[in-house]
Amino acid sequence: MSRTKPTVVVTRKLPDTVETRMMELFDVRLNVDDHPFTTDELIATSAMCDVLVPTLTDVLSAEVIAKFNPRLKMIANFGNGVDHIDVTAAQARGIMVSNTPDVLTDDTADMTMALIVGVPRRLVEGARMIREDRFTGWTPTHMLGHRLAGKRLGIIGMGRIGTAVARRARGFGMTVHYHNRRRLQPELEAEVEATYWESLDQMLARMDIVTIHCPHTPATFHLLSERRLKLLKPSSYVINTARGEIVDEKALIKLLQDGKIAGAGLDVFEHEPAVNPKLLAMNNVTLLPHMGSATIEGRIAMGEKVIINIRAFADSHALPDRVLPTHT
Ligand code: DGY
């Protein structure tokens, strides 16, 4: 790159402080009305910029990337998950990809914990009862839920967020179990007092609450398949703040309806932003609009990561958060 400012297109509205800093540093085109870009718009945009800053609402498939103008040299994703970007296709076209890891770990773990507490303790159901003026007074059997302390939490995917959830769950007196492609280092496993299960099937059958923290890749699509969901105890709960595609949502709904799973806390959906109306009809399901990492502090930190990666690109340095193709 020359010393001239890189030209950057941002596909969605970002916090003001992030946009202002970007305007100071780069030659930027912002999305003032925050409309989601169409595929044609994304392709047309590639001819106008060196760097595209997309979010998870922009699907950059191999077909789309194949139509990108060779001018585009970097995709600086505003977000951690890159399942909407075909990283292999980007690499083949000489386009570097970066993301924003770390900075949304605590916020996502907090929201996961809110669901882990809120679903068995029927938090949303109780709040709704008050608002609908249905609270007629305390009785010993009123709104009984389930205690967390002593329950087994099964974490699927023990990366940064999974580990942060494990630490929090220990504070609530839960016993931590996990399934991961790789076992944790012994010191970390000992610190979070976690039990490793090489077999996901075996772990699922023994857990009280299962929470998902792996990325969505071809290998994890429907990882919680109908067969695996059927392994869960009827008293168990499923929490998902990762990606909807990891769970066979149709099968989950059927098992919830049949009382084969006790409840669920979902911040993400298989066909997002569409939410299956059958989920809306269930009292034992807490639904959130993909807000696991939605704090202003987190979004600003994500913006800073995007800026740092673009600056590294402009200076021809290695990208601190470069994403390379995975072959899973
Ligand atoms: C991410 O960054 O992948 C989150 O899901 C967006 O909040």
Side-chain angles (χ1 to χ4, degrees):
M1 280 289 307
S2 68
R3 291 225 154 251
T4 55
K5 290 178 175 181
T7 303
V8 177
V9 172
V10 183
T11 67
R12 299 306 295 259
K13 172 91 188 82
L14 302 182
D16 281 353
T17 40
V18 176
E19 291 188 344
T20 307
R21 190 66 188 131
M22 282 184 153
M23 292 295 285
E24 287 166 355
L25 294 170
F26 314 126
D27 181 3
V28 186
R29 205 184 84 190
L30 300 171
N31 180 350
V32 180
D33 63 7
D34 200 21
H35 70 280
F37 277 27
T38 62
T39 301
D40 287 346
E41 214 171 348
L42 285 167
I43 293 166
T45 297
S46 67
M48 300 169 205
C49 60
D50 309 304
V51 182
L52 182 69
V53 179
T55 71
L56 59 88
T57 55
D58 303 300
V59 180
L60 305 182
S61 62
E63 295 72 38
V64 173
I65 289 172
K67 293 185 187 145
F68 274 174
N69 189 288
R71 172 170 181 185
L72 184 74
K73 287 282 174 265
M74 180 185 185
I75 297 171
N77 187 50
F78 185 87
N80 190 27
V82 290
D83 52 327
H84 56 293
I85 304 172
D86 192 319
V87 180
T88 309
Q91 167 131 319
R93 292 288 308 258
I95 302 171
M96 285 189 274
V97 178
S98 65
N99 68 343
T100 61
D102 294 321
V103 290
L104 33 71
T105 300
D106 284 331
D107 296 325
T108 310
D110 289 346
M111 192 58 95
T112 305
M113 213 53 224
L115 288 170
I116 290 173
V117 177
V119 176
R121 292 301 306 270
R122 306 172 66 185
L123 205 71
V124 171
E125 242 185 291
R128 196 179 302 131
M129 178 177 283
I130 293 279
R131 286 190 179 276
E132 292 173 358
D133 201 18
R134 289 185 286 108
F135 178 42
T136 52
W138 185 91
T139 77
T141 54
H142 174 63
M143 285 300 289
L144 300 184
H146 290 281
R147 175 186 293 164
L148 283 190
K151 296 292 190 308
R152 294 196 171 93
L153 177 69
I155 300 178
I156 303 175
M158 199 65 149
R160 298 182 191 89
I161 298 174
T163 308
V165 171
R167 291 203 175 94
R168 284 158 175 75
R170 289 294 304 138
F172 279 81
M174 302 186 81
T175 313
V176 172
H177 296 249
Y178 74 102
H179 168 79
N180 200 39
R181 274 186 307 176
R182 276 183 300 277
R183 190 168 178 166
L184 293 182
Q185 293 298 316
E187 311 78 59
L188 184 53
E189 197 176 89
E191 186 211 313
V192 290
E193 297 175 75
T195 302
Y196 175 63
W197 293 86
E198 195 177 340
S199 159
L200 175 58
D201 289 9
Q202 287 185 3
M203 181 179 90
L204 290 176
R206 293 164 166 89
M207 296 300 111
D208 299 303
I209 302 180
V210 168
T211 183
I212 301 166
H213 299 291
C214 56
H216 168 223
T217 67
T220 64
F221 176 78
H222 281 193
L223 183 69
L224 284 193
S225 58
E226 182 179 8
R227 181 189 69 75
R228 287 212 172 100
L229 287 167
K230 282 183 171 165
L231 298 172
L232 291 169
K233 298 191 286 188
S235 55
S236 67
Y237 298 92
V238 174
I239 307 297
N240 191 3
T241 57
R243 285 292 184 267
E245 294 91 336
I246 300 167
V247 181
D248 180 342
E249 198 171 275
K250 220 169 124 200
L252 175 69
I253 290 169
K254 179 84 177 76
L255 290 163
L256 285 163
Q257 283 173 332
D258 294 350
K260 302 277 171 55
I261 292 177
L266 307 175
D267 183 46
V268 288
F269 305 92
E270 189 168 348
H271 304 289
E272 208 170 299
V275 178
N276 190 312
K278 290 179 183 154
L279 285 171
L280 298 173
M282 286 188 250
N283 265 336
N284 53 345
V285 177
T286 296
L287 306 169
L288 296 177
H290 199 147
M291 54 190 275
S293 67
T295 66
I296 184 64
E297 295 85 352
R299 294 288 183 254
I300 290 172
M302 286 163 77
E304 279 162 4
K305 282 233 162 211
V306 168
I307 290 169
I308 289 166
N309 280 280
I310 298 175
R311 290 201 86 168
F313 159 78
D315 291 343
S316 304
H317 290 150
L319 307 187
D321 302 300
R322 177 139 190 215
V323 180
L324 291 168
T326 48
H327 300 284
T328 47

